[in-house]
């Protein structure tokens, strides 16, 4: 076994690897960028090495710096985590060329599966079923459009390199093919440096079911059953589970055998995932699944497999990479119970899942698992940490395990309702709504479920009068301590003939709220609110809430209602964007400008494309008008930057 390893990653996965390595007695080296100087993974590691500025291209994607850090610290091996360099065969060559061990598959295996088109041709030869489509080298638009017509619409354009839904477009009609192809190519080029695509038949009711495989250098390959990752938004996974709901013995046997066959075809060693698309339009059948791609690394959702098989896949990675045989044979790997993983992101689900930034002023996860269940939190952040625009905005993975799917699903809902995060917009309410969705609860899930139910799943319920009153009480300072526990608080606001009222203002979204807070003789607080809220409420027990600079967040289940608390001594800022300008909803790069200064545009017309976190977001006109100014293509902008300004006479 290794004495010391370097982790070429950050955040949650770096912390995950450190925990297992520490348990095994293996010392760890963390690398970090400027933005991560105070990060949790840096604090946890035995040694640390600074590798550059915050942008990934100058730090976490610099293989030369990472290899140099491993050599300088005496590390024997490099664990890539997931993302970044984890599936870069050139990096594997860099690592092995200097005598270090790459904790993962060989460069040859990664290359074999790195390009979707070549991988599918290889799988066809190995007897693994693949999705009908065009997987050839030629990329002329006329040829691709012709192949799309042959396959039959709808079709799916997919980047041949990478994954995560980047560079992917569904096309319903031939007239839309050219525009979709251009968008897919731009996004693929930005994310993977390769704008080549393949075209496949779009499956009407697709399930995304993947099989965890593991191989060693002795030619042994096993599977650890399947995971269902069908709950997706923007082709990115949201909630994963194991085993797949509705899985039949016949389909499981066919899929796991195909997955093992695929891994053996490329002499695979280490952790890997074979991803299949399954046509669930007529139920799960053994002849209705096809190979999509192989992820030649540890998956984000690997904890659900660990929970149902009682394994530590990171430990397996270290053992296999150090030259040991697989810890278990196939007959020794059994399924037990059911597990879910929910990805908690800093994002605004109600605004199309826009990534968010901010400081996590309050971060609290459940202290214990619900009765009869087990739970684990995988995170790389703490209270006070910032969500950076440079990296993926995932805050944590909440993983639960129960004796069956229903028990695990109930545990997931309870755990989400007990999670409290303030300081950034997060998706906990959306996750809880998805977990409670009737179709999802019944296991009737496919990759289009979230899209079909998106409006209901992302709707933000308005705060009740009780929630507003609690926020006003907290903002006023009158309820800073529970009156039943602090006898001195009963003197607060004392007056001879009536209760003294404190005037408090709140802002919720676009609404200004005025509240009058007073203490009653019996120790209760009375909060008087303007319409449309109840005129007066009596409060004694403080709800779950968090105070943070200039704000109060009140938690109701998985929903966090955040109220701004204006400083009464500060001068009001009268400058507002108004309808005469469009501002960047997040930090990003102006990827494409589709309008010009002086041009007359109509409401809804796309004006420019903003790229943030490797995804494209279209900024469209909010009304008819004439453009007075527009951002420059290639400009890097921050949250709130004016992208488009309209001429004053444009509307009225």
């Amino acid at each position: 076994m290794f004495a010391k390893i370097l982790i070429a990653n950050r955040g949650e996965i770096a912390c995950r690897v450190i925990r297992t390595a520490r348990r095994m007695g293996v010392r760890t080296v963390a690398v970090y960028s400027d933005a991560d100087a105070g990060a949790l993974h840096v604090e946890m590691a035995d040694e640390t090495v600074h590798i550059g500025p915050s942008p990934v291209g100058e730090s976490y994607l610099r293989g030369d710096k990472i290899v140099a850090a491993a050599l300088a610290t005496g590390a024997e091996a490099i664990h890539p985590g997931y993302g970044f360099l984890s599936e870069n065969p050139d990096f594997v060559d860099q690592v092995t060329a200097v005598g270090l061990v790459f904790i993962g598959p060989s460069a040859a295996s990664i290359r074999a599966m790195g390009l979707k088109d070549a991988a599918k041709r290889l799988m066809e030869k190995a007897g693994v079923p693949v999705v009908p489509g065009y997987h050839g080298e030629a990329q002329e638009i006329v040829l691709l459009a012709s192949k799309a017509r042959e396959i039959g619409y709808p079709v799916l354009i997919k980047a041949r390199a990478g994954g995560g839904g980047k560079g992917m477009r569904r096309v319903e009609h031939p007239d839309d093919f050219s525009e979709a192809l251009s968008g897919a190519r731009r996004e693929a080029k930005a994310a993977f440096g390769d704008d080549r695509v393949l075209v496949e038949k779009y499956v009407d009711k697709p399930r995304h079911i993947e099989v965890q495989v593991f191989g060693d250098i002795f030619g042994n390959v096993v599977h650890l059953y399947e995971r269902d990752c069908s709950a997706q938004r923007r082709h990115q996974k949201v909630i994963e589970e194991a085993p797949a709901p509705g899985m039949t013995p016949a389909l499981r046997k066919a899929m796991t055998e195909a997955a093992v066959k695929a891994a053996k075809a490329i002499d695979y060693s280490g952790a890997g995932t074979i991803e299949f698309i399954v046509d669930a339009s007529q139920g799960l059948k053994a002849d209705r699944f096809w190979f999509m791609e192989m992820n030649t690394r540890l998956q984000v959702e690997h904890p659900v497999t660990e929970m149902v098989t009682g394994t530590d896949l990171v430990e397996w990675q270290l053992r296999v990479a150090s030259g040991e045989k697989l810890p278990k044979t196939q007959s020794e790997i059994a399924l037990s119970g059911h597990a879910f993983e929910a990805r908690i992101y800093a994002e605004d689900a109600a605004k199309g899942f826009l990534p968010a930034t901010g400081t996590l002023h309050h971060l609290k996860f459940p202290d214990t698992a619900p009765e009869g269940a087990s739970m684990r939190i995988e995170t790389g952040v703490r209270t006070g940490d910032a969500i950076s625009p440079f990296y993926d905005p995932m805050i944590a993975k909440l993983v639960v395990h129960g004796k069956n799917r229903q028990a695990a699903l109930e545990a997931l809902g309870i755990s989400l309702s007990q999670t409290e995060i303030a300081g950034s917009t997060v998706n906990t309410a959306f996750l809880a709504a998805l977990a409670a969705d009737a179709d999802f609860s019944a296991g009737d899930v496919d990759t289009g479920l979230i899209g079909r139910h998106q409006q209901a799943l992302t709707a933000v319920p308005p705060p009740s009068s009780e929630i507003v009153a609690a926020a006003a009480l907290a903002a006023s300072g009158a309820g800073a301590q529970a009156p039943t526990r602090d006898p001195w608080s009963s003197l607060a606001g004392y007056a001879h003939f009536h209760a003294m009222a404190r005037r408090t203002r709140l802002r919720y979204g676009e609404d200004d709220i005025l509240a009058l807070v007073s203490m009653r003789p019996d120790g209760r607080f009375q909060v008087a609110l303007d319409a449309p809220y109840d005129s007066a409420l009596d409060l004694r027990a403080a709800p779950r809430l968090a105070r943070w600079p200039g704000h109060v967040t009140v938690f109701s289940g998985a929903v966090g209602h955040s109220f701004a608390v204006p400083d009464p001594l500060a001068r009001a800022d009268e400058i507002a964007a108004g309808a005469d300008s469009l501002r960047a909803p997040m930090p990003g790069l102006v990827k494409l400008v589709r309008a010009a200064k002086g041009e007359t545009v109509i409401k809804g017309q796309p004006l420019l494309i903003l790229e943030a976190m490797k995804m494209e977001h279209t900024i469209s006109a909010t009304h008819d008008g004439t453009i007075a100014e527009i951002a420059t293509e290639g400009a890097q902008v921050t949250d709130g930057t004016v992208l488009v300004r309209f001429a004053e006479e444009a509307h009225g």
Side-chain angles (χ1 to χ4, degrees):
M1 181 49 62
F2 307 115
K4 183 190 293 185
I5 64 171
L6 180 142
I7 303 165
N9 219 295
R10 64 176 298 279
E12 168 267 323
I13 186 56
C15 295
R16 165 75 185 88
V17 175
I18 290 171
R19 284 195 298 273
T20 288
R22 179 180 296 161
R23 179 176 58 77
M24 297 176 67
V26 178
R27 292 178 60 80
T28 55
V29 180
V31 293
Y32 66 93
S33 67
D34 289 347
D36 282 339
L40 181 58
H41 77 281
V42 175
E43 178 185 294
M44 290 176 63
D46 297 301
E47 298 176 54
T48 61
V49 179
H50 176 250
I51 54 170
S54 302
V56 294
E58 301 176 53
S59 51
Y60 295 107
L61 290 180
R62 287 291 300 272
D64 56 337
K65 291 186 176 182
I66 291 170
V67 170
L71 293 173
T73 56
E76 302 158 81
I78 294 179
H79 193 301
Y82 48 70
F84 295 144
L85 296 170
S86 63
E87 294 181 282
N88 186 321
D90 295 335
F91 177 61
V92 179
D93 288 337
Q94 282 182 280
V95 172
T96 57
V98 296
L100 298 173
V101 176
F102 180 77
I103 302 174
S106 67
S109 293
I110 295 176
R111 288 191 174 98
M113 290 295 192
L115 298 177
K116 292 185 179 69
D117 52 356
K120 289 181 178 180
R121 291 195 295 270
L122 178 61
M123 290 299 98
E124 283 181 309
K125 291 181 181 178
V128 177
V130 300
V131 181
Y134 173 71
H135 308 129
E137 291 288 340
Q139 293 288 300
E140 292 81 5
I141 184 172
V142 174
L143 173 66
L144 294 176
S146 173
K147 293 296 182 182
R149 285 193 296 271
E150 289 178 16
I151 296 165
Y153 285 89
V155 298
L156 199 62
I157 300 173
K158 299 172 66 174
R160 72 196 295 255
K166 300 178 180 67
M168 184 181 294
R169 297 289 190 277
R170 176 180 174 176
V171 190
E172 297 283 351
H173 192 275
D175 293 345
D176 302 324
F177 187 83
S178 178
E179 178 77 11
L181 178 63
S182 297
R185 282 176 165 168
R186 282 195 308 271
E187 202 167 87
K189 184 70 173 178
F192 316 119
D194 186 342
D195 66 356
R196 288 171 290 182
V197 301
L198 49 84
V199 183
E200 294 180 342
K201 176 65 179 174
Y202 183 84
V203 179
D204 288 330
K205 190 175 182 182
R207 288 270 296 272
H208 181 138
I209 301 177
E210 59 191 31
V211 176
Q212 177 73 60
V213 294
F214 222 108
D216 62 23
I217 60 174
F218 303 100
N220 301 306
V221 177
V222 298
H223 69 81
L224 290 95
Y225 301 96
E226 79 281 353
R227 297 183 290 257
D228 194 303
C229 306
S230 301
Q232 302 178 6
R233 87 300 187 254
R234 288 184 167 183
H235 303 290
Q236 292 183 314
K237 301 166 187 176
V238 175
I239 295 180
E240 303 98 345
E241 60 181 299
M247 176 59 70
T248 65
L251 179 56
R252 176 173 289 142
K253 182 176 185 295
M255 289 185 73
T256 54
E257 288 179 352
V260 170
K261 186 185 298 183
K264 286 185 174 181
I266 57 171
D267 298 321
Y268 196 78
S269 176
T273 299
I274 310 296
E275 299 194 349
F276 295 102
I277 194 77
V278 181
D279 182 354
S281 60
Q282 299 177 14
L284 298 183
K285 296 185 177 181
D287 62 348
R288 303 294 289 171
F289 74 96
W290 301 279
F291 171 87
M292 269 201 308
E293 61 184 347
M294 181 179 188
N295 287 301
T296 52
R297 54 169 167 80
L298 196 68
Q299 290 279 85
V300 178
E301 59 272 19
H302 75 273
V304 294
T305 293
E306 294 181 324
M307 295 285 250
V308 297
T309 58
T311 57
D312 183 331
L313 295 182
V314 174
E315 178 181 343
W316 282 35
Q317 286 186 298
L318 298 182
R319 293 196 180 283
V320 166
S322 67
E324 297 181 21
K325 288 186 176 181
L326 288 172
K328 291 184 178 181
T329 63
Q330 189 65 67
S331 62
E332 295 173 316
I333 304 170
L335 275 175
S336 176
H338 203 99
F340 285 95
E341 174 184 286
R343 301 188 189 188
I344 300 175
Y345 278 96
E347 65 180 14
D348 193 337
K351 294 183 178 179
F353 303 101
L354 281 178
T357 55
T359 299
L360 301 174
H361 291 286
H362 179 82
L363 181 64
K364 184 178 183 295
F365 297 108
D367 296 324
T368 59
E371 185 177 356
S374 57
M375 177 191 68
R376 60 193 264 196
I377 303 294
E378 300 285 353
T379 186
V381 295
R382 303 147 297 187
T383 297
D385 285 349
I387 302 299
S388 167
F390 295 105
Y391 313 119
D392 186 86
M394 188 170 70
I395 295 171
K397 300 184 305 193
L398 191 158
V399 191
V400 296
H401 178 269
K403 63 181 180 181
N404 53 44
R405 188 175 190 270
Q406 186 58 40
L409 191 59
E410 290 176 2
L412 178 65
I414 292 170
S415 299
L416 285 168
S417 71
Q418 295 174 348
T419 298
E420 301 175 3
I421 304 174
S424 177
T425 304
V426 295
N427 68 337
T428 50
F430 160 71
L431 293 172
L434 177 58
D437 178 83
D439 288 344
F440 187 84
S441 297
D444 184 15
V445 59
D446 60 80
T447 59
L449 184 146
I450 291 177
R452 293 193 300 273
H453 300 184
Q454 185 166 330
Q455 184 173 354
L457 293 174
T458 60
V460 179
S464 65
S465 297
E466 289 76 11
I467 288 173
V468 176
L473 183 62
S476 72
Q481 296 180 356
T484 56
R485 296 181 181 178
D486 178 14
W488 298 105
S489 66
S490 62
L491 299 177
Y494 171 77
H496 281 295
F497 302 109
H498 57 82
M500 182 179 293
R502 299 185 184 184
R503 186 184 181 91
T504 299
R505 286 191 177 277
L506 300 172
R507 187 168 182 83
Y508 185 81
E510 299 298 318
D511 297 332
D512 287 309
I513 303 169
L514 174 63
L516 295 177
V517 180
S518 57
M519 177 175 281
R520 297 169 59 93
D522 60 3
R524 288 181 296 171
F525 289 99
Q526 185 176 75
V527 181
L529 302 169
D530 290 335
Y533 304 103
D534 294 345
S535 58
L537 297 99
D538 290 346
L539 299 177
R540 180 185 292 274
R544 298 156 53 217
L545 56 82
R547 300 177 183 84
W548 47 289
H551 296 79
V552 172
T553 298
V554 182
F555 301 101
S556 175
V559 182
H561 292 282
S562 292
F563 299 82
V565 184
D567 183 351
L569 300 179
R571 294 182 60 188
D573 182 3
E574 298 297 336
I575 302 175
D580 290 327
S581 62
L582 299 175
R583 295 177 180 261
M586 73 199 103
L589 173 72
V590 179
K591 191 68 176 179
L592 182 67
V593 175
R594 305 177 67 174
K597 181 179 179 179
E599 182 178 342
T600 299
V601 297
I602 61 174
K603 182 178 180 180
Q605 180 177 334
L607 303 181
L608 54 83
I609 293 176
L610 183 69
E611 180 187 88
M613 299 176 184
K614 300 302 182 185
M615 297 294 284
E616 292 186 354
H617 307 271
T618 300
I619 307 298
S620 301
T622 54
H623 54 75
D624 298 349
T626 302
I627 295 178
E629 298 176 33
I630 191 165
T632 304
E633 198 166 291
Q636 191 75 43
V637 298
T638 59
D639 185 10
T641 299
V642 174
L643 298 175
V644 181
R645 195 181 302 280
F646 295 96
E648 292 184 5
E649 70 277 11
H651 60 91

